Amino acid sequence: MHPPMQNPLLHTPTRALPRHVAVIGAGTIGPDIGYYLASALPGLRLTLVDVAQAPLDKALARCRDYAAKAVARGKMSEAQAGAVTSAIVATQDYAALADCDWVIEAATENLALKRRIFAQLEGIVAAQCLVTSNTSSLPAARIFADMQRPGRATVTHFFAPAWRNPVVEVIDWERCERDVLAWLRWVFAMTGKVPLVTADAVCFMLDRIFDNWCNDAALLLGRATAAEIDSAAGAYVHAGPFFVLNMAHGNPIITETNTLQAEEEGAHYTPAPIFRSVEQWLTVAPGKRVELDAATDAALRERMLGVLFAQSFDILDRAIGAPADLDLGCRLALGFKRGPLELMRELGESQTRRIAERFAADRPGMPLPQRPLAAYQEHLRHVLVDDIAGVKVVTLRRPEALNALHDELTDEVLAVIRRFENDPAVAGFVVTGYGARAFCAGADIGRFPSMLGDAAASAQYSRDCSRLLVHLDAMSKPVVAALNGMALGGGLELAMRCHAIVALRRAYLQLPEITLGIVPGIGAMVVPYRRWPAAAETFHAMLRRAERLGAERAHELGVVDELADDIGQLVQRALARVHALQGRVGRIAEGPVAIPPLAAVEPLAAGGQTLSREVLAILERAVRDAAAAPTLAAALEVGYLAFGASACTAAAREGIQAHREGRQPDFARTG
Ligand code: COA
């Protein structure tokens, strides 16, 4: 049996995308799951099932409301919205599920009820129909214990709001068939979700964090008010525990899930009694805080960190989840500003140890680290690595930013390459992006504000991000870029340094930097002219007008070596390229290159946006100087310095600010 792929889309699916899915339970989360699936999978039939008509009617109205909002925000056309809402039908009749490919149970959190539903389902659906439960706490082994065919069943745990929250925990329990697990992960990744595999422990991975975080907040109520605790917790989360509990009507859930943990693992998990007597908390909205003296603030913060760290140690020591998934899940699903392991890294070992020990003293029985603290930091944070027949497939995984690059990510890719490039069992590497949408949306714009106005720091950041790219230039083992979607800015610059590029037909290449008032500093003003001189006019237009280059046109120009129709084919073609390139990796031209003149153009982007004349001039000068530079290294240096110069313009400040605010920049004002 093949080990599971870390990147879910590297799995070769043995069944097609679903055509008919049913969601049982028209409460809050069921319709949201249904709406997500119906909008992500055109042509899908989505049946919502409940025992009463009123919740079904409410659920359909809610889906219509979501679709109307999506149209109002320009995220969907009227026609798409109409197709989504008419794809969702409601029924009280289980017989309507007979031809389903997949049934998702999202009924009340009650073991006996769930078991009854699955027993009934087995009498109705076909043998190959998958069945999953959206429980947040009940282990799969208990829910599916009496099923005749438990191999096609598992837990798929969504997070609110399920139509938008990307995270789904997919539970790997002992009787679930490997293929079923792999297919579920594949479908989720194909439809824009981020599936995280967890073990079948009570509350899985993320609810162990969330429930205990909330429970500990409630246990602190003798020392501080809910508003004070939420204010202190605001250092780590976008919304404090009491605010979230109010939103989710979560008090009874914590009582239930922590009782389950207490029964299973010890009295230290016993829920705070106050959850039984309070319905709503008096607290502050996210971003707001009440005044707190510094000592109380620090004590509350450390205590909240203590519970977070204790749960994290336990999750990792018991292999309930993987470290990078833990951080990612806490950020994406639970609204943490940083994951627990990131927080530990920032604090350093002695502070982390002090906080953990203090917490253990306050809360006897709570888990302590079972390994040296440094061991919890030994993992790749932003990339996944798979091995397919001796080729290492490196997947850029930053789903919150369409896989945007920063120096830490590029350094991780470099570390993986260095680790395996001298291994005779490794033929080469494929670099691809997580999900079905983006290879990489460029450099992480969030890192730019701190650099603006500092030419030397900006140029140095470009050099730092280029460590990987310069290494690729000198490699003899092939590295192939597999563009599974858009390749923008720095992402395209990375792809252009790989030794071959394969791309989905629908992928596109673009250098949007000029529209942000900056220039692409890590090779785009240099490398394409040296690698594909015949396409120089196209690169002029991409750089100066942010023109998009579709993958098919890029293939005609020789920039993309091969096209693919779907992700499976893309990966196969990329792997074949790695093998075909053995001993044949080319080098980027070293000496000066001739380029067509950069005839004067209006400062106007292809999308109609007015551009900055000053930044355009920086870009054009850099393109000319880089072409004339005596060596590739000197040409690249021209690019780093030009990025530094652009970062000091008023246009850059305006462009980055406008992007953050979601508006068009006003370069007419900045020049
Ligand atoms: N850096 C950091 N975050 C990025 C990013 C980047 N380069 N590109 C996208 N993201 C983030 C978005 O901010 C958004 O995060 P949010 O959900 O927290 O707001 C998330 O990825 C999804 O992107 P979004 O803009 O909502 O998707 P969309 O479909 O509306 O638009 C793009 C997609 C690619 C057109 C748009 O994201 C974009 O213009 N990105 C910047 C591309 C760019 O200029 N790259 C070069 C940078 S030098």
Side-chain angles (χ1 to χ4, degrees):
M1 200 189 323
H2 295 297
M5 292 293 169
Q6 294 223 20
N7 175 347
L9 294 184
L10 298 182
H11 168 69
T12 307
T14 47
R15 41 173 90 213
L17 285 167
R19 284 173 311 244
H20 184 192
V21 178
V23 178
I24 298 177
T28 306
I29 201 152
D32 283 9
I33 296 170
Y35 179 79
Y36 134 67
L37 277 168
S39 40
L41 289 171
L44 180 79
R45 256 193 314 141
L46 195 291
T47 303
L48 268 178
V49 193
D50 205 293
V51 287
Q53 192 56 40
L56 287 170
D57 292 341
K58 246 174 95 178
L60 291 180
R62 180 140 110 225
C63 292
R64 283 195 296 273
D65 189 41
Y66 286 155
K69 282 192 179 131
V71 172
R73 289 198 190 111
K75 297 270 178 197
M76 254 187 210
S77 68
E78 291 275 2
Q80 285 168 324
V84 170
T85 46
S86 54
I88 304 176
V89 294
T91 182
Q92 295 179 55
D93 182 7
Y94 270 57
L97 313 190
D99 69 343
C100 276
D101 311 298
W102 178 14
V103 179
I104 304 169
E105 171 276 322
T108 314
E109 201 75 335
N110 175 313
L111 182 61
L113 172 72
K114 287 182 190 294
R115 290 169 74 137
R116 270 203 310 281
I117 289 174
F118 286 109
Q120 187 179 353
L121 266 182
E122 276 207 307
I124 295 165
V125 298
Q128 69 275 14
C129 172
L130 302 192
V131 292
T132 67
S133 171
N134 177 57
T135 174
S136 64
S137 59
L138 299 166
R142 289 186 212 170
I143 299 176
F144 305 117
D146 294 338
M147 276 185 69
Q148 288 159 22
R149 295 174 53 87
R152 39 98 167 245
T154 193
V155 169
T156 48
H157 175 211
F158 292 81
F159 291 80
W163 62 273
R164 196 180 59 196
N165 194 320
V167 174
V168 187
E169 287 182 317
V170 182
I171 283 41
D172 182 2
W173 71 293
E174 54 185 2
R175 294 169 78 185
C176 181
E177 286 164 19
R178 301 298 81 193
D179 233 33
V180 167
L181 201 71
W183 184 82
L184 286 167
R185 294 174 65 220
W186 176 80
V187 175
F188 284 132
M190 285 297 277
T191 51
K193 293 281 184 202
V194 178
L196 303 179
V197 175
T198 83
D200 196 25
V202 165
C203 296
F204 315 113
M205 176 168 72
L206 295 175
D207 266 53
R208 298 185 79 84
I209 297 280
F210 179 71
D211 299 347
N212 287 303
W213 167 262
C214 291
N215 196 36
D216 227 68
L219 292 172
L220 280 172
L221 281 170
R223 284 162 60 178
T225 65
E228 286 171 339
I229 295 166
D230 274 1
S231 299
Y236 313 117
V237 286
H238 293 293
F242 294 105
F243 182 85
V244 177
L245 287 168
N246 280 350
M247 296 280 292
H249 305 290
N251 297 352
I253 303 172
I254 305 296
T255 299
E256 216 168 282
T257 54
N258 270 67
T259 301
L260 204 60
Q261 286 183 72
E263 283 166 8
E264 194 92 354
E265 296 171 21
H268 48 286
Y269 284 116
T270 303
I274 195 166
F275 282 124
R276 292 182 197 275
S277 54
V278 172
E279 242 179 65
Q280 285 281 303
W281 306 98
L282 202 60
T283 187
V284 288
K288 301 257 181 316
R289 49 178 291 134
V290 291
E291 278 313 310
L292 261 176
D293 68 86
T296 311
D297 192 27
L300 293 174
R301 275 192 281 116
E302 294 204 350
R303 170 71 181 252
M304 298 303 283
L305 279 182
V307 68
L308 189 60
F309 292 171
Q311 288 310 306
S312 301
F313 295 137
D314 193 40
I315 285 164
L316 300 177
D317 289 333
R318 292 163 61 192
I320 294 172
D325 287 359
L326 173 65
D327 272 357
L328 185 65
C330 284
R331 288 199 314 269
L332 294 190
L334 306 182
F336 276 76
K337 293 175 182 170
R338 284 180 295 285
L341 301 173
E342 291 166 311
L343 286 166
M344 287 183 207
R345 190 168 56 153
E346 272 175 28
L347 283 168
E349 282 190 26
S350 66
Q351 291 273 44
T352 303
R353 186 173 304 106
R354 185 180 58 74
I355 290 168
E357 284 170 0
R358 176 71 206 261
F359 181 70
D362 280 357
R363 299 275 279 110
M366 278 291 186
L368 280 161
Q370 302 297 307
R371 293 175 283 161
L373 290 180
Y376 297 92
Q377 299 295 338
E378 285 166 10
H379 61 277
L380 294 168
R381 291 171 167 76
H382 311 295
V383 302
L384 305 174
V385 182
D386 287 289
D387 189 303
I388 305 182
V391 177
K392 295 289 174 193
V393 181
V394 182
T395 303
L396 316 175
R397 184 178 69 157
R398 293 195 63 226
E400 68 270 52
L402 296 173
N403 307 324
L405 301 178
H406 46 48
D407 51 346
E408 215 183 292
L409 187 156
T410 50
D411 279 349
E412 277 197 355
V413 179
L414 180 56
V416 173
I417 288 178
R418 285 208 164 115
R419 182 161 162 221
F420 293 111
E421 68 183 326
N422 296 319
D423 181 343
V426 174
F429 304 84
V430 169
V431 180
T432 192
Y434 189 85
R437 223 185 136 210
F439 170 73
C440 170
D444 190 326
I445 297 172
R447 298 274 171 123
F448 287 152
S450 62
M451 280 175 250
L452 292 173
D454 189 336
S458 305
Q460 189 53 42
Y461 185 68
S462 290
R463 283 185 208 102
D464 293 346
C465 285
S466 289
R467 284 188 286 256
L468 164 66
L469 310 192
V470 171
H471 188 86
L472 292 173
D473 295 342
M475 280 177 71
S476 47
K477 222 164 236 192
V479 182
V480 174
L483 307 188
N484 55 312
M486 60 180 97
L488 311 186
L492 177 54
E493 291 174 298
L494 165 60
M496 289 191 303
R497 303 292 265 283
C498 293
H499 310 124
I501 303 178
V502 295
L504 284 185
R505 255 173 226 288
R506 63 168 171 76
Y508 69 90
L509 291 61
Q510 193 183 12
L511 297 165
E513 282 83 349
I514 194 77
T515 65
L516 294 170
I518 53 174
V519 299
I522 58 170
M525 296 184 293
V526 179
V527 171
Y529 296 103
R530 288 166 184 253
R531 273 190 79 173
W532 304 284
E537 292 286 2
T538 300
F539 302 130
H540 282 356
M542 290 178 74
L543 285 163
R544 295 199 291 175
R545 291 171 42 76
E547 253 178 33
R548 277 187 189 191
L549 177 64
E552 295 198 335
R553 178 72 187 127
H555 183 233
E556 286 165 13
L557 292 171
V559 176
V560 163
D561 296 274
E562 205 170 348
L563 295 169
D565 294 319
D566 57 47
I567 290 184
Q569 196 179 61
L570 178 79
V571 174
Q572 287 314 316
R573 295 199 166 159
L575 296 172
R577 284 265 151 189
V578 168
H579 292 296
L581 277 171
Q582 296 301 308
R584 299 179 44 215
V585 169
R587 290 277 173 262
I588 299 171
E590 267 291 329
V593 285
I595 55 166
L598 285 152
V601 286
E602 277 303 300
L604 210 60
Q609 181 194 323
T610 299
L611 299 172
S612 157
R613 284 184 190 275
E614 186 184 2
V615 178
L616 202 56
I618 293 173
L619 184 145
E620 291 171 350
R621 195 163 48 245
V623 169
R624 284 194 202 98
D625 290 354
T631 61
L632 175 61
L636 291 170
E637 189 60 26
V638 169
Y640 306 147
L641 294 174
F643 174 70
S646 73
C648 293
T649 62
R653 202 167 285 283
E654 163 64 5
I656 302 295
Q657 183 68 19
H659 183 85
R660 285 158 71 95
E661 292 166 8
R663 60 171 173 86
Q664 282 252 327
D666 181 2
F667 292 134
R669 186 170 55 78
T670 59

